[in-house]
Each structure stands twice: as C-alpha cells, then as structure tokens.
Amino acid sequence: MFGHHQDIQEEAKLDVMQRMWQSGRRNNSTTFFEEASGTEDILTISRQNSNPWINVCVPPPQEKGCSDAESDNDFLDFQESFACSKALHQPEAVTKLDASTLNDLPAHYTICSVLPHQFPVCGVYIDKRIVPGFKYKVRPLPPIGKKSTTNKCLFKNKALMLQSIGRGFARRITFQPEDGKINSNDNYFYSDNRPDGYAFEMELISEGDKFTIFDINREAQGTVEVLSVEDDQLEISSSFTKQGIEKRANVKFTGKVEFYDVGVAKPMLLSGIAVAIKPKGKNFAEVVKVVNIYIKKQRLHLVPGIKNNYRRVTVRGRDINDVPTKYTMTGLEHYELPVVGTYVDPRIIPGFCYKVRPNNKKYHLFNGRALRLISIGMGYAKRLTFQPDSLNNPNNYLWSDNHPDGLGLEPRAVFKGMKFYVKAGGQIIGEATVFRDDNPQFEEKSQKVKIEFGQYAIVKHIHIDVMCHIQLSRPGGASSEKDSYMMRISGVAVVRKEHKAEAAKIVEIKNIGLDSQLYILFSQMHADIKFIPMETYTV
C-alpha cells in the first residue's frame, strides 16, 4: 500500500517535469520575441490612451502552458520584467500635431513631448492658446528623444509681448522690439524655421513687478515686490469675457513683503493664481489681480502697483514716553517720518534738514525747500520751528496738530550745487558737482557717538540718489572736456551733529554707486570711492 502511494507521487512529479519541458519548447526564442513585440504594441496603445508623459508597464496577456501554478507564475514574472525593461528603455513619448484640428491646413507634425506649461508651434501648427498681447518665452525644441527644456530660450531668455502672428504657410511671429526700436525690430521668426518646432511658455508675473496686498475686506495691508519667479507658470483657463480675453495661470514666486503695521520688508515664498486680461481695443494684456495668496493662514489678494494713498502707518505716543495717544496715517511715503497730533517721530532731530509735506497732499510747505529744524517745542501741540528767512519776521514754523491727517518729514543731506572731491584708493582723482537732487532721500540709520563723559554726537546715514557733473583729473593735475562726465550717483551720506552744535555737517558720501562704465574700472582696481566735501556744508 505504501509502495503504491510512493509510485503515484513519482508519476506526478514526472508528469510535472514533462509539462515544464514541453512548455519550454513551445516558448522558443522566435515565439518569445514575437510576444515581446506584441508587448511593445500594447505599451504603445496604453501610452496613446493615457497621459503621454507617463510610461506605463502593462504585462501582455498570457496563455498558460501548464496547470502548475508555481511554474506558470515564474514565467509570467519573467515576461513582465522583460516587458517593463523594454518599456523603460523606449524613447520619450512624442507629441503629434494635426493642424486640421485648428481648421487649418491638414498638416501633421511629430515633435518631442512638451510639458503642460508649454504650447507647441511647428510649421502651420500654432497652438490656439497662444494669443497676441500676452508675454511668452520661446524655447526651440530639440530632436525627438530629448527633453523639451534642453535648449535655452530666444531673446536672451526674456519673456516678450507677442505682437502678431502672420498668415500663410510660413507664418511670421513678431514680438515687441527692444528699447522701443519700432523701425528696426529683430525680434521675430517664422513658424517653419525649425523642423523640430518651438515651445511657447507664458509669463504673467515677472521679476520686479510690484503689488499692493489686500485682505478679504478689500483693505490694503501692505506691499510686495517680486524678487524671483520660482516655477513655471501653468495656464489653467482662457476665456472671452465682457472685458476681453482673460487668462489665468498658477504662479509661484519669492516676494519682498512689507506690511504697513510692521514696516519691515521680508522675503517670502508666495503662490496663487494670476489673472490677466487683454481688453478690447488694446494691443497688450495686463495682470489685474493675483488671488488665493496665503500669508500666515490669512487669505489675501494682490493688485498691481503700489499706491501710496493705501499705505498706513500707526504711531503711539506711549512708545516714546509721551502722551498715550494713537494715530493711524494713510498715504505717508516710505521715506517720510510721521508728525501728527501730539506725536513727533523720535528720528526727527533739530540741527538736520527736512522737507515738510502735508499728508495726502502733493505739495510741500515752505515753497518746497528743505529747511534746517531749529527746535521742537514741549506740550500737547508741539511747535516745530525751522530756519527763518528773516530774523525780524521768523514765520517758518508749524504745530504738530496743524493738519488733521498729519505731516511727512523727509530728511535731506545733499543739495544742488554742493561740490565734492572724488577720492579713490586714498587719492583725489577729480571733482563732482551736484547737478540735480530731485529723487527722495531717506534715513537708513541714526546713532549716538560718545565724545566725552555725558556728551554725544548724533550721526545719521542718509541714502542719496543725485545727478552729478564729474571732472576727472589727469596725472599732473591737468584735465580736459574729455574727462568730464554727467553721472547718476547713489550712496550713503554721513551727516554728523556735534554736541551743542546748532547745525549738522556732512562728513562724506560712501558706498558710492556710479551709473557709468567707470564703476567697472574702479571695481577691478578694488578702489573704494568716496566723496569728500570741498567746503563745510551745514545741513
């Protein structure tokens, strides 16, 4: 009985071995590669019916060669791994274009796969999402099998506004000219210039754009300036509205955010949806808002431009050990120091010069002149007395509560007509005369410098931006008109008021920046440029 059972087990094992051997014969090399070819066909169909940017390994249907589950699964696993390895080594998926779908010529093109934020252009095929009036980067596409982002963009990698798309077989695509050169515009190409085609990348938000931040109640909260764009801008919708053609895109950027209440600018990573409209009758589109911006779990939106009448500054008298009053001023410039009611900003110090502007007004007091502040009175309404035009009739004064909306005082250090020695590397190389001082000047910092026991000097660092006439000296002291330049100068003026002195004096202008190629020369020489006053100027 036991021997009979053992014979049955041996016959069963032999039967399994024979079936495995027969299965191996049926699946010879020719049949196997035919099935592998069928696997590639299935993979191709799968890619056509799914996302073309995703490779999917689909095992082919199998005909089981034996009833033994273990051997059959082993064979299926082997074929599946072979099919997947073949699929992973396939060239990247391609993008097929058919111009007839755009009601154009029935031309067909095959180009490398483009990313979701890219719009293809090849021959007569121009993606219908490409609309004149919007800004695009143009990237020449590489041959099939390479990534669409391999090549650099045209026009120095800048996003330019698309002006027009021509007609015909070879269509001229024209972008805005550089620096307003209307008669010599080289920013164009033809759609059939490259057999591999082009990819257009829309750009709604650009570096340097400025916005005002609003909350859900439509109240201005601060400002933001775009420092850098961090991701591709993916178009999510395009539609016709009563206002014109509207496009929306996901944007992500780093912005310098400044809230009015805080008064400190910080870089932050922001993301949202930019909305741009090309109005009817206009040749260019404009961003009207950026929605779904979240900062500290607060939902906000951005409106293009920085409007000073929205800027709010809140001041408290108790912060300077004064009357415990609180005021909110709207419309103060960022470089102005507040004066309102009983409050006088502690950075406003007698001996320095200021321009005075009533808040929410465009004009300045004292005929727009910057006058030296002589004294700040005591009491509830503080009297601010400035340098008089006549000692017999001193009328250059005001009270801190004269204007209900407050006053803005702009510190001034450099004026038209001032003359300086230009000093570089410890040597005087020329002279500079201030020609224009229109741009605002603002205080960077103020500090006390100890002189003696109980005595201090006050030093202010004021940022300036002026136009200067510069005369450089040649070796031996000679100079000519060829060495004369008109330059824009920016820097930090150091102004010092000594203890018990009535007026502050300008010491030097450091951290000089020249709007000239000479600055490159000085930078290569590692020469530190400074302006030293030729006379003693009180400011």
Side-chain angles (χ1 to χ4, degrees):
M1 183 72 179
F2 176 79
H4 180 68
H5 180 69
Q6 186 175 10
D7 292 339
I8 294 174
Q9 288 183 342
E10 290 178 356
E11 290 176 2
K13 291 181 180 178
L14 179 62
D15 184 60
V16 169
M17 292 175 62
Q18 289 177 347
R19 280 184 289 179
M20 290 179 64
W21 180 71
Q22 293 294 338
S23 175
R25 291 188 60 188
R26 285 196 301 270
N27 292 284
N28 56 26
S29 60
T30 304
T31 307
F32 179 79
F33 285 107
E34 287 177 356
E35 290 181 3
S37 176
T39 301
E40 294 177 7
D41 294 338
I42 293 173
L43 288 171
T44 303
I45 296 172
S46 174
R47 290 194 189 98
Q48 292 176 354
N49 294 333
S50 62
N51 191 333
W53 294 285
I54 300 177
N55 292 325
V56 182
C57 291
V58 180
Q62 303 293 327
E63 294 182 2
K64 295 184 180 181
C66 62
S67 60
D68 183 76
E70 182 177 355
S71 61
D72 188 59
N73 288 338
D74 290 340
F75 178 74
L76 287 175
D77 291 340
F78 174 75
Q79 273 204 323
E80 181 177 352
S81 63
F82 180 84
C84 286
S85 64
K86 290 280 288 181
L88 292 175
H89 288 83
Q90 291 293 324
E92 287 191 15
V94 298
T95 297
K96 294 185 177 181
L97 308 176
D98 183 2
S100 63
T101 59
L102 305 178
N103 297 324
D104 210 318
L105 299 174
H108 295 260
Y109 308 95
T110 302
I111 60 176
C112 74
S113 177
V114 295
L115 297 175
H117 73 282
Q118 296 177 326
F119 309 143
V121 170
C122 187
V124 297
Y125 186 95
I126 298 178
D127 195 291
K128 60 182 180 181
R129 293 170 292 181
I130 300 174
V131 179
F134 291 85
K135 293 170 63 177
Y136 298 93
K137 285 184 177 180
V138 181
R139 192 183 300 275
L141 290 175
I144 295 176
K146 295 185 178 181
K147 293 183 178 180
S148 62
T149 56
T150 301
N151 298 328
K152 293 183 178 180
C153 295
L154 301 179
F155 313 128
K156 301 178 182 179
N157 206 38
K158 294 181 180 179
L160 300 180
M161 187 197 71
L162 178 61
Q163 285 189 335
S164 62
I165 301 175
R167 297 184 177 182
F169 190 83
R171 298 174 185 182
R172 172 168 166 155
I173 302 176
T174 307
F175 289 83
Q176 67 183 95
E178 295 181 3
D179 302 327
K181 296 179 180 179
I182 300 177
N183 297 326
S184 58
N185 184 11
D186 297 328
N187 295 338
Y188 68 90
F189 61 90
Y190 290 88
S191 59
D192 64 346
N193 277 2
R194 290 178 57 88
D196 298 319
Y198 300 89
F200 280 47
E201 301 173 1
M202 187 174 67
E203 183 174 295
L204 297 184
I205 302 297
S206 304
E207 181 180 335
D209 290 349
K210 297 180 180 180
F211 299 90
T212 301
I213 304 173
F214 288 85
D215 60 10
I216 57 176
N217 297 323
R218 298 184 180 180
E219 293 184 359
Q221 300 297 323
T223 61
V224 59
E225 178 181 356
V226 179
L227 299 179
S228 61
V229 179
E230 302 298 340
D231 204 354
D232 301 318
Q233 301 182 26
L234 175 63
E235 179 178 318
I236 58 177
S237 69
S238 181
S239 59
F240 290 95
T241 64
K242 294 181 179 180
Q243 291 78 20
I245 302 175
E246 178 186 291
K247 286 183 177 289
R248 294 174 178 249
N250 288 328
V251 295
K252 186 178 182 180
F253 60 92
T254 298
K256 184 172 67 174
V257 179
E258 178 182 356
F259 284 99
Y260 295 143
D261 295 338
V262 179
V264 178
K266 294 182 179 180
M268 293 185 181
L269 184 62
L270 306 175
S271 61
I273 299 175
V275 182
I277 294 180
K278 180 188 176 185
K280 298 177 182 178
K282 287 191 176 182
N283 298 325
F284 56 91
E286 296 179 341
V287 175
V288 294
K289 59 183 175 180
V290 182
V291 298
N292 294 347
I293 297 287
Y294 287 89
I295 301 177
K296 296 181 179 179
K297 298 182 180 180
Q298 184 180 5
R299 185 176 179 179
L300 307 167
H301 69 275
L302 310 180
V303 175
I306 295 178
K307 299 180 180 180
N308 294 323
N309 58 331
Y310 288 132
R311 188 173 186 270
R312 296 197 315 273
V313 175
T314 301
V315 296
R316 296 174 177 85
R318 63 185 180 184
D319 295 339
I320 57 174
N321 296 323
D322 204 339
V323 181
T325 52
K326 178 182 176 181
Y327 305 94
T328 298
M329 303 174 63
T330 303
L332 201 68
E333 299 283 357
H334 70 278
Y335 51 83
E336 293 177 331
L337 307 177
V339 172
V340 57
T342 63
Y343 184 90
V344 177
D345 193 287
R347 292 170 292 180
I348 300 174
I349 299 175
F352 294 88
C353 291
Y354 300 91
K355 289 180 71 174
V356 183
R357 182 184 69 90
N359 193 24
N360 292 328
K361 304 294 182 182
K362 295 183 178 179
Y363 64 87
H364 290 80
L365 301 180
F366 311 128
N367 297 322
R369 296 175 297 167
L371 299 180
R372 176 165 53 89
L373 180 62
I374 295 178
S375 64
I376 301 176
M378 304 291 289
Y380 185 86
K382 300 173 177 61
R383 171 168 166 158
L384 280 69
T385 305
F386 292 85
Q387 182 180 2
D389 297 323
S390 172
L391 295 177
N392 296 327
N393 186 22
N395 56 0
N396 294 338
Y397 61 89
L398 52 87
W399 275 270
S400 58
D401 63 348
N402 270 6
H403 298 268
D405 296 329
L407 300 164
L409 272 65
E410 174 194 345
R412 304 289 292 187
V414 177
F415 302 91
K416 178 180 178 181
M418 284 187 173
K419 296 184 178 181
F420 298 87
Y421 291 114
V422 181
K423 194 174 182 179
Q427 296 182 349
I428 296 177
I429 62 172
E431 298 178 1
T433 303
V434 179
F435 178 69
R436 297 188 64 174
D437 62 347
D438 302 332
N439 291 330
Q441 301 177 20
F442 60 90
E443 181 177 321
E444 289 191 350
K445 66 178 180 178
S446 179
Q447 57 188 3
K448 282 186 176 182
V449 179
K450 190 173 182 180
I451 304 174
E452 297 177 359
F453 179 76
Q455 296 183 1
Y456 295 88
I458 300 175
V459 179
K460 287 183 177 290
H461 294 73
I462 300 176
H463 184 275
I464 59 105
D465 186 357
V466 296
M467 293 294 296
C468 287
H469 182 267
I470 296 181
Q471 187 86 18
L472 296 180
S473 301
R474 291 186 177 182
S479 61
S480 65
E481 293 183 357
K482 294 182 180 180
D483 302 316
S484 180
Y485 304 90
M486 185 68 70
M487 297 184 191
R488 182 180 178 182
I489 307 295
S490 64
V492 178
V494 180
V495 186
R496 182 184 178 105
K497 179 180 178 292
E498 299 294 344
H499 180 67
K500 292 185 178 181
E502 294 183 355
K505 297 179 181 179
I506 182 168
V507 179
E508 64 179 3
I509 302 177
K510 62 179 184 179
N511 298 340
I512 296 292
L514 305 177
D515 186 16
S516 170
Q517 294 180 352
L518 290 175
Y519 185 71
I520 302 176
L521 176 62
F522 289 126
S523 299
Q524 293 175 349
M525 296 171 59
H526 302 285
D528 185 18
I529 308 173
K530 290 185 178 181
F531 282 16
I532 308 299
M534 297 177 63
E535 303 176 11
T536 301
Y537 295 111
T538 58
V539 297

